[in-house]
Amino acid sequence: MPVPNVRSVLEYVPYFRGKLFVVHVAQDLLNSEELVDALLDLDVLHEIGVRLILVAEGSDASRLYAETRVCEMRSAAVEAPLSAGELVIGRVEEILNRRQIPVVASGCDQTFDEGTVRMASALKANKFIALLDDERVPTRDKAPIHAILESEVADIRGEISYKELLLEAAEVCRRGIQRVHLLDGRNRGVLVDELFSEEGVGTMVHSDSYREIRPLHEEDIPELLSMIARSVIQDQLVDRSYEDIHERLKDYYVLTLDDSIIGCVAVYPYPEQKSAELGCLYIKQSHEGHGYGKALCSFAEQKARELGMHFIFALSQSAVYYFRDRLHYAEYSRDTLPSHRRMVLELSGRHSGVFGRELD
């Protein structure tokens, strides 16, 4: 996963400002060196406008509170644990409203104890971040689970580690917290790597739209043009102007992660021939190798079916391997193209091959 840079971090600042994050700190992390790193990163989040609640696992928050003071955070201790009831939630909210960071004990030796979850739900937290102490971040078939919808957790297949933790996180989502992050608290910089990159380094269970393929909006066109510029210069994609895309806006779609555009595809229909062209397929270089290109192609095929097309084709001179060997598109002669599209291709002088498949 690419290390977040200044540009990628700044993109998230407006999105995070004013949001409420509840951060659960596992008991064994309270005496760790890594805790200071995490608190310093949380302090920066607070400086950019994120509202924070720090929850120490167990019955004593004094150690966590002392460390926040060492880090010069604007923190305030909550005297009673969350397990004591509604009055404690009121005290937490009071501290939040005066722009301080409440530090409170959960009163229970669990990651998702009832008191903390009830508080997070009552205060309409946007994120529940669990800093774990023993690398209990779930995996599927020994590979990371970067993000999963809460509705998909119960039916997840494969060799799943810490599935019970996933199920508990999904239940937290169902109680109104849109995103639950399970992070290895022993991993220095884990908060920055998780929150300021699209892929993240832990597991996020979410109930909102994290990955989405949606129509291109007019205001997206400048971003799309800048995103594909590298491939245009390298002669891998046809050059397009703002006007070109705007004219066929309804044919373009973008893939977003956490509301950030990371890929695109176009579906150009030829109704008389009952065929459609799959064009402008692109995935950001930093997100290659995750199956996003294949997802966009599957989407394009389904969109072509919905338009009543029986055949889909793509023209490429640089992605022959991808269409032929990865997607198993057959190679066709140019004579199979709609006559207008064949004429445009021949006038362009490009040596693109034709790859396509029948749509059932």
Side-chain angles (χ1 to χ4, degrees):
M1 187 208 72
V3 176
N5 55 34
V6 173
R7 292 186 299 277
S8 63
V9 169
L10 289 177
E11 287 175 0
Y12 281 86
V13 171
Y15 180 69
F16 285 162
R17 187 177 291 122
K19 300 296 176 63
L20 176 61
F21 296 178
V22 173
V23 183
H24 167 98
V25 182
Q27 205 162 36
D28 287 351
L29 284 177
L30 295 174
N31 296 309
S32 69
E33 295 178 359
E34 294 85 358
L35 176 61
V36 174
D37 284 345
L39 291 177
L40 290 172
D41 289 339
L42 288 168
D43 191 38
V44 173
L45 285 173
H46 193 243
E47 290 290 339
I48 66 172
V50 176
R51 302 161 68 222
L52 296 172
I53 300 172
L54 303 185
V55 181
E57 183 179 296
S59 58
D60 185 8
S62 60
R63 175 69 182 182
L64 180 57
Y65 178 54
E67 290 294 349
T68 64
R69 298 182 72 188
V70 170
C71 295
E72 300 181 353
M73 300 175 74
R74 291 193 287 266
S75 59
V78 180
E79 296 75 15
L82 286 163
S83 56
E86 298 299 323
L87 289 176
V88 182
I89 297 178
R91 174 63 175 155
V92 168
E93 188 170 20
E94 177 187 329
I95 294 171
L96 273 176
N97 289 339
R98 64 192 194 204
R99 299 184 181 180
Q100 287 183 291
I101 302 170
V103 182
V104 62
S106 68
C108 185
D109 297 335
Q110 297 174 8
T111 301
F112 299 112
D113 61 280
E114 175 57 27
T116 304
V117 175
R118 185 173 62 247
M119 175 197 66
S121 180
L123 298 180
K124 296 180 170 52
N126 303 95
K127 289 182 182 288
F128 189 120
I129 300 171
L131 293 177
L132 308 171
D133 63 333
D134 55 2
E135 299 183 348
R136 290 189 297 142
V137 178
T139 60
R140 174 168 49 192
D141 298 327
K142 300 182 179 179
I145 305 172
H146 289 302
I148 182 170
L149 273 167
E150 58 87 8
S151 58
E152 297 175 351
V153 169
D155 297 324
I156 189 173
R157 296 290 182 263
E159 181 185 340
I160 311 300
S161 66
Y162 306 110
K163 185 172 181 179
E164 189 61 33
L165 198 60
L166 272 180
L167 291 169
E168 292 175 5
E171 178 59 29
V172 172
C173 282
R174 284 191 285 274
R175 291 182 61 174
I177 293 87
Q178 292 180 336
R179 300 189 180 191
V180 178
H181 298 260
L182 303 172
L183 307 180
D184 178 5
R186 300 285 182 179
N187 182 0
R188 292 180 186 272
V190 67
L191 284 163
V192 173
D193 291 340
E194 173 72 7
L195 299 177
F196 293 104
S197 64
E198 288 98 350
E199 285 295 335
V201 293
T203 294
M204 181 179 71
V205 182
H206 60 103
S207 58
D208 59 352
S209 58
Y210 169 69
R211 169 177 153 177
E212 179 185 22
I213 299 176
R214 63 165 175 80
L216 181 74
H217 302 151
E218 184 175 352
E219 58 268 26
D220 298 325
I221 297 176
E223 184 173 356
L224 174 62
L225 288 169
S226 65
M227 184 175 69
I228 67 174
R230 181 198 301 268
S231 285
V232 170
I233 291 172
Q234 295 173 348
D235 206 28
Q236 295 172 345
L237 284 178
V238 174
D239 197 6
R240 294 165 172 84
S241 67
Y242 186 102
E243 291 73 20
D244 292 334
I245 296 175
H246 187 269
E247 185 178 349
R248 305 195 67 166
L249 189 65
K250 63 181 178 59
D251 297 330
Y252 284 82
Y253 303 88
V254 290
L255 171 64
T256 66
L257 286 185
D258 215 7
D259 293 327
S260 295
I261 295 175
I262 60 105
C264 61
V265 73
V267 182
Y268 307 119
Y270 293 88
E272 291 184 4
Q273 292 78 23
K274 295 293 182 181
S275 64
E277 179 181 357
L278 186 161
C280 200
L281 177 64
Y282 184 79
I283 297 295
K284 276 187 175 180
Q285 194 173 29
S286 57
H287 291 80
E288 292 177 349
H290 296 286
Y292 298 137
K294 189 173 182 180
L296 280 170
C297 290
S298 296
F299 174 87
E301 291 173 12
Q302 181 57 34
K303 185 58 63 176
R305 291 187 187 95
E306 293 171 6
L307 293 171
M309 305 298 112
H310 299 158
F311 180 73
I312 192 166
F313 65 89
L315 305 176
S316 180
Q317 59 185 15
S318 61
V320 173
Y321 167 79
Y322 185 79
F323 284 107
R324 186 186 61 200
D325 301 335
R326 293 287 299 280
L327 297 182
H328 305 295
Y329 278 29
E331 193 162 2
Y332 290 84
S333 74
R334 293 189 174 191
D335 293 337
T336 61
L337 296 175
S339 57
H340 174 71
R341 186 65 184 95
R342 185 175 67 249
M343 181 181 67
V344 171
L345 176 60
E346 290 173 350
L347 289 174
S348 73
R350 295 176 65 87
H351 303 291
S352 300
V354 180
F355 305 89
R357 70 163 39 139
E358 300 289 337
L359 298 173
D360 46 30

